[in-house]
Amino acid sequence: MSTSAIYILDLKGQVLLSRNYRGDVDLSSGDAFLSLLHEREENSISSPVLQHGDTRLLWIKHKNIYLVSATKKNANAALVFAFLYKIVEVFTEYFKELEEESIRDNFVIVYELLDEIMDFGYPQTTESRVLQEYITQEGHKLEVGAPRPPATVTNAVSWRSEGIKYRKNEVFMDVIESVNLLVSATGSVLRSEIVGTVKMRVILSGMPELRLGLNDKVLFEQTGRDKSKGVELEDVKFHQCVRLSRFDNDRTISFIPPDGEFELMNYRLYTHVKPLIWIESVIEKFSHSRVEIMVKAKSQFKHRSTANNVEVRIPVPSDADSPKFKSSSGSAKWVPEESVIVWTIKSFPGGKEFLLRAHFGLPSVEAEELEGRPPVTVKFEIPYFTVSGIQVRYLKIIEKSGYQALPWVRYITQSGDYQLRTH
């Protein structure tokens, strides 16, 4: 990857600030960005890469600003975009919100950060925890002599500082799976996938090495174990601390973790998921004066599990009023501005079925609803449970001082984009 310059622009195309790293691009490229973008859009062409003379502009939009990288080289576009998103992440850590106003209010720090995270067009330190050790948001005092950079900047492990000490050493790991599901009105599953995230909170002294073992199907095949108990992980994305060569060789997830909270890995499984919470909704209209909706919710997971804070959103006709509800569990409320009933069930054990009856009045002149009914959407969270069956087989903590550390693992399944179409 080689970037010549970075521009940050507002939505009108005005350059808020720019940093020219190599001095080989004309800074007018930034001013030309928006007109080039509009020109493409007028021709119905949407492209994340624009051409200005012999300079290529690779850009992303975040809230009310554009971040643009200019290059004359044949750069690796994927790396450039990854770097632009990393800038967003770092600035958000510093300013809580990244938008035009936070850029204008923090010019000095933004320039300092741009100078630290890239040198002559090549990425350098991009971990915000490390940057915060020496680029602070407080006023700078004049120091005598050249200040020494933190050791982390020159370490092989740039995401963790030396000399970290804790009285109690612990590791908390959350395996969180989101279920994306779309079910047709006839009850067939049109789309299902599981998006998994492994989040960690590390409270460990020194420079520990962690090794994580999962019931990985590929590993089970390699070692002759029962592969039916393994999970086939697809689209795996690791934090930079994971030794990728080691994972490629023997599927071991080995890493020196950053201090504090971070996402260790993400994965995706394109698999057939049986709907965990099944919804049937029947709507009946009577003589243009009232409407009755009956909703049945059924939990289709094991009895020993319980879904918490279940929220079922049922669309109702936009001209309905005077609601009356009766439910076998939970509580229902009408949200007229969204034309939905929100049925909330705090605790929904596995293998249970609950009913909701809703009665609405309609105006005497019925509004013609030409569009189809929007789908029912469901939100939920099931602790101590994963849909994919992924399991942490072990989490080893190795540190030269030999201290004992406690690993804690939690499993959570939650709804992602979970929709059921109804008649």
Side-chain angles (χ1 to χ4, degrees):
M1 173 186 163
S2 172
T3 292
S4 294
I6 296 284
Y7 306 101
I8 300 176
L9 303 92
D10 64 16
L11 292 180
K12 294 174 186 168
Q14 183 182 347
V15 178
L16 300 173
L17 57 81
S18 63
R19 181 69 180 85
N20 196 340
Y21 292 103
R22 303 173 75 92
D24 63 346
V25 294
D26 186 348
L27 287 178
S28 65
S29 301
D31 299 320
F33 167 74
L34 201 66
S35 58
L36 290 168
L37 184 63
H38 287 163
E39 195 180 297
R40 280 294 188 99
E41 286 172 349
E42 280 168 14
N43 296 325
S44 303
I45 301 168
S46 181
S47 172
V49 182
L50 303 172
Q51 185 88 21
H52 181 249
D54 59 354
T55 304
R56 289 176 190 85
L57 303 173
L58 293 83
W59 62 278
I60 63 169
K61 186 182 175 191
H62 180 80
K63 294 191 177 173
N64 58 356
I65 58 171
Y66 292 102
L67 288 94
V68 183
S69 166
T71 180
K72 282 195 168 185
K73 304 267 184 189
N74 186 15
N76 182 328
L79 272 176
V80 174
F81 288 119
F83 180 74
L84 290 175
Y85 282 109
K86 192 69 185 176
I87 290 179
V88 170
E89 192 183 307
V90 170
F91 286 3
T92 305
E93 288 264 337
Y94 265 83
F95 313 132
K96 302 295 180 272
E97 290 284 334
L98 175 58
E99 53 191 12
E100 184 185 335
E101 194 176 340
S102 57
I103 294 290
R104 289 186 186 280
D105 290 347
N106 296 282
F107 268 134
V108 175
I109 294 169
V110 170
Y111 272 117
E112 282 191 51
L113 288 169
L114 287 175
D115 278 346
E116 284 299 328
I117 61 182
M118 181 164 271
D119 185 26
F120 197 62
Y122 298 104
Q124 301 296 311
T125 306
T126 56
E127 278 294 314
S128 53
R129 280 194 201 92
V130 174
L131 290 162
Q132 282 165 356
E133 286 183 30
Y134 60 106
I135 296 181
T136 65
Q137 284 162 285
E138 297 155 11
H140 291 273
K141 293 173 185 170
L142 189 66
E143 291 184 24
V144 179
R148 288 185 64 208
T152 322
V153 177
T154 52
N155 270 358
V157 181
S158 63
W159 53 86
R160 186 179 178 90
S161 301
E162 298 262 7
I164 295 169
K165 284 192 176 71
Y166 289 106
R167 279 177 59 203
K168 189 177 181 184
N169 292 289
E170 293 179 300
V171 176
F172 298 89
M173 176 178 282
D174 285 346
V175 181
I176 302 165
E177 290 191 340
S178 296
V179 180
N180 295 333
L181 189 79
L182 178 61
V183 177
S184 74
T186 57
S188 57
V189 175
L190 301 176
R191 177 175 66 91
S192 72
E193 64 176 9
I194 301 162
V195 179
T197 305
V198 177
K199 292 186 176 180
M200 297 194 74
R201 186 156 70 93
V202 173
I203 306 167
L204 294 176
S205 307
M207 202 57 87
E209 181 178 332
L210 274 61
R211 285 179 198 158
L212 171 66
L214 302 171
N215 56 334
D216 178 2
K217 194 171 185 179
V218 177
L219 174 67
F220 279 25
E221 283 173 355
Q222 287 174 355
T223 53
R225 294 190 187 131
D226 182 358
K227 66 180 182 184
S228 66
K229 292 180 181 175
V231 174
E232 192 169 350
L233 301 175
E234 299 169 60
D235 289 355
V236 183
K237 180 185 157 200
F238 288 113
H239 185 275
Q240 71 185 81
C241 66
V242 174
R243 296 186 177 98
L244 294 180
S245 56
R246 180 86 191 266
F247 180 75
D248 290 339
N249 285 340
D250 59 14
R251 307 292 283 189
T252 300
I253 301 169
S254 169
F255 57 100
I256 295 170
D259 187 41
E261 294 182 10
F262 69 101
E263 277 191 12
L264 176 70
M265 62 182 279
N266 298 296
Y267 58 90
R268 190 181 296 266
L269 297 171
Y270 301 98
T271 181
H272 181 80
V273 179
K274 182 183 176 185
L276 297 168
I277 293 178
W278 180 259
I279 304 291
E280 286 177 34
S281 168
V282 178
I283 185 165
E284 278 189 87
K285 290 187 180 182
F286 296 91
S287 64
H288 308 317
S289 62
R290 63 192 174 93
V291 64
E292 281 190 9
I293 301 170
M294 194 189 82
V295 184
K296 184 162 71 175
K298 186 179 179 183
S299 54
Q300 301 192 132
F301 45 87
K302 290 175 183 170
H303 292 262
R304 64 171 179 264
S305 295
T306 301
N308 296 332
N309 304 317
V310 177
E311 186 183 282
V312 184
R313 298 172 74 86
I314 307 114
V316 297
S318 54
D319 55 347
D321 61 19
S322 316
K324 288 176 188 166
F325 302 115
K326 190 177 180 182
S327 63
S328 60
S329 182
S331 61
K333 68 173 182 180
W334 180 39
V335 185
E337 61 272 19
E338 295 178 37
S339 298
V340 292
I341 303 166
V342 178
W343 181 17
T344 307
I345 304 163
K346 281 268 183 274
S347 179
F348 200 147
K352 292 280 183 186
E353 190 173 294
F354 296 130
L355 283 172
L356 169 72
R357 288 181 186 276
H359 178 284
F360 285 90
L362 288 172
S364 54
V365 180
E366 185 185 10
E368 280 294 319
E369 296 215 353
L370 297 172
E371 73 281 1
R373 272 182 81 197
V376 171
T377 60
V378 189
K379 283 185 184 174
F380 58 84
E381 190 172 273
I382 310 171
Y384 319 113
F385 173 81
T386 58
V387 205
S388 68
I390 195 170
Q391 284 184 329
V392 174
R393 289 168 47 239
Y394 61 82
L395 180 60
K396 292 178 184 169
I397 302 157
I398 305 148
E399 215 278 331
K400 61 184 179 185
S401 63
Y403 59 68
Q404 292 299 304
L406 292 169
W408 304 89
V409 181
R410 278 194 312 182
Y411 299 95
I412 302 165
T413 289
Q414 61 190 22
S415 55
D417 183 11
Y418 194 102
Q419 301 184 10
L420 300 100
R421 291 178 182 163
T422 54
H423 286 294

